[in-house]
Amino acid sequence: MGEKMIERLNAIENRYNEINEELMKPENISDIKKATSLSKEQASLKEAYDAYQEYKRLTSDIEAAKEMVKDPELGEFAKEELEENQKKLEKLTKDIEVLLLPKDPNDGKDVIVEIRGAAGGDEGNIFAGDLFDMYKKLAERNGWKIEIVEEEKSEAGGYTLISFIVRGENVYSKLKYESGAHRVQRVPVTETQGRVHTSTATVLVMPEAEELDCDLDMNDVRVDITRSSGCGGQGVNTTDSAVRLTHIPTGIVVYSQTERSQIKNKEKAIKILQTRLYDLKMQQREKELGEERRSKIGTGDRSEKIRTYNYPQNRVTDHRIGFTLNTLDRVMQGDIDKVIEALITEDQNRKLRGE
């Protein structure tokens, strides 16, 4: 392992231990905001810290085994142990290289997802509903929670639009690659000749903004209260509880109607508006980066076709990395981990190559 990597690991170790000391101070124990911030920072360092402790243990064991190899009685045993530990160290070094790659500051955040039926009319809307079901099942598999924010059901089934929050551990790190156009190839229910049609639905994944991410001035926001409609529940529909916010400088409009309480709908709408403004800020920053943005997975043009779901061949293909699975039936049941893992691995490999 190079000197620079060792220097970085030493810095991580020192900071990790400093935070331990900070967390023991009475003034920080009583300051919930400070204690939470320190705990979050420590949690972000823990994996690299633990890997470095293991690295030091292995290098120490290797040095001891090298000495033992010279012993006539223990030499053979020491040789086996030495070879085994050297293999472990080689793998651990590669793992540490990945751990030291620049972290996406949004990876630990919850997300807001919007799915819209696009090309293909009714079939596009039905497919939008299928994608929502896929992500809902993925959330269940990972122990994540989903909150629907807005939904516009299609008469033929599915949604013209569904917007929802996904809460859980490191949700954005897994779902950030899902933004883009998803294409489906299958025989629609309404097709009498048995012909395969191609339709699309678009997915937008945004990291949920925190207060520090977006300074929202409510003087720039017009608030409209309306009567809820659709599937907010009978109790919701009898009151003026839906909230629409319009951000005047950008023209961004958000709508929340899923809660019975007008106050809760407003709180949820404000959170979505903050997230949209933060997402806009990220897009502008990525645009300024130019070529760097194009080398990343999941930050390209949001109208880009990223994946095809071919029902007749039970095949799903991610076009960004040329990855194909012939288990579409399982993917649509939320078993999408192999696709996500392949995208994460390729993203890491590109960063390791300096792309």
Side-chain angles (χ1 to χ4, degrees), residues 101-134:
L101 287 172
K103 294 279 192 301
D104 185 332
N106 293 315
D107 273 354
K109 292 183 178 179
D110 297 334
V111 302
I112 293 176
V113 184
E114 287 183 4
I115 306 176
R116 295 176 184 269
D122 288 343
E123 178 63 10
N125 295 335
I126 291 168
F127 182 52
D130 293 338
L131 288 175
F132 172 63
D133 288 340
M134 179 183 79

Side-chain angles (χ1 to χ4, degrees), residues 308-320:
T308 295
Y309 304 73
N310 185 298
Y311 275 73
Q313 297 176 23
N314 198 34
R315 185 185 74 230
V316 59
T317 299
D318 195 288
H319 303 290
R320 295 163 294 180

Side-chain angles (χ1 to χ4, degrees), residues 33-157:
K33 197 171 182 180
K34 182 75 180 290
T36 302
S37 175
L38 287 168
S39 296
K40 272 189 176 181
E41 185 185 351
Q42 190 177 55
S44 72
L45 300 174
K46 190 176 189 310
E47 204 172 355
Y49 172 85
D50 288 346
Y52 187 37
Q53 304 316 301
E54 177 66 6
Y55 175 84
K56 289 195 289 186
R57 187 191 67 76
L58 278 173
T59 50
S60 175
D61 288 352
I62 285 168
E63 290 307 310
K66 282 178 179 176
E67 289 298 316
M68 286 172 63
V69 167
K70 302 168 189 174
D71 190 301
E73 291 181 10
L74 299 173
E76 197 59 39
F77 168 76
K79 189 179 177 185
E80 286 178 17
E81 188 178 339
L82 179 63
E83 288 174 0
E84 186 181 338
N85 283 337
Q86 282 173 332
K87 285 178 185 174
K88 286 181 182 176
L89 187 66
E90 188 178 337
K91 182 184 181 303
L92 182 62
T93 302
K94 288 179 181 175
D95 291 343
I96 288 172
E97 282 180 358
V98 172
L99 286 173
L100 292 181
L101 287 172
K103 294 279 192 301
D104 185 332
N106 293 315
D107 273 354
K109 292 183 178 179
D110 297 334
V111 302
I112 293 176
V113 184
E114 287 183 4
I115 306 176
R116 295 176 184 269
D122 288 343
E123 178 63 10
N125 295 335
I126 291 168
F127 182 52
D130 293 338
L131 288 175
F132 172 63
D133 288 340
M134 179 183 79
Y135 292 127
K136 191 163 63 171
K137 286 165 184 169
L138 174 67
E140 288 168 4
R141 293 165 69 96
N142 284 278
W144 300 338
K145 302 294 181 189
I146 281 183
E147 288 176 41
I148 294 175
V149 175
E150 184 183 357
E151 53 184 357
E152 295 172 9
K153 289 193 172 181
S154 166
E155 287 184 14

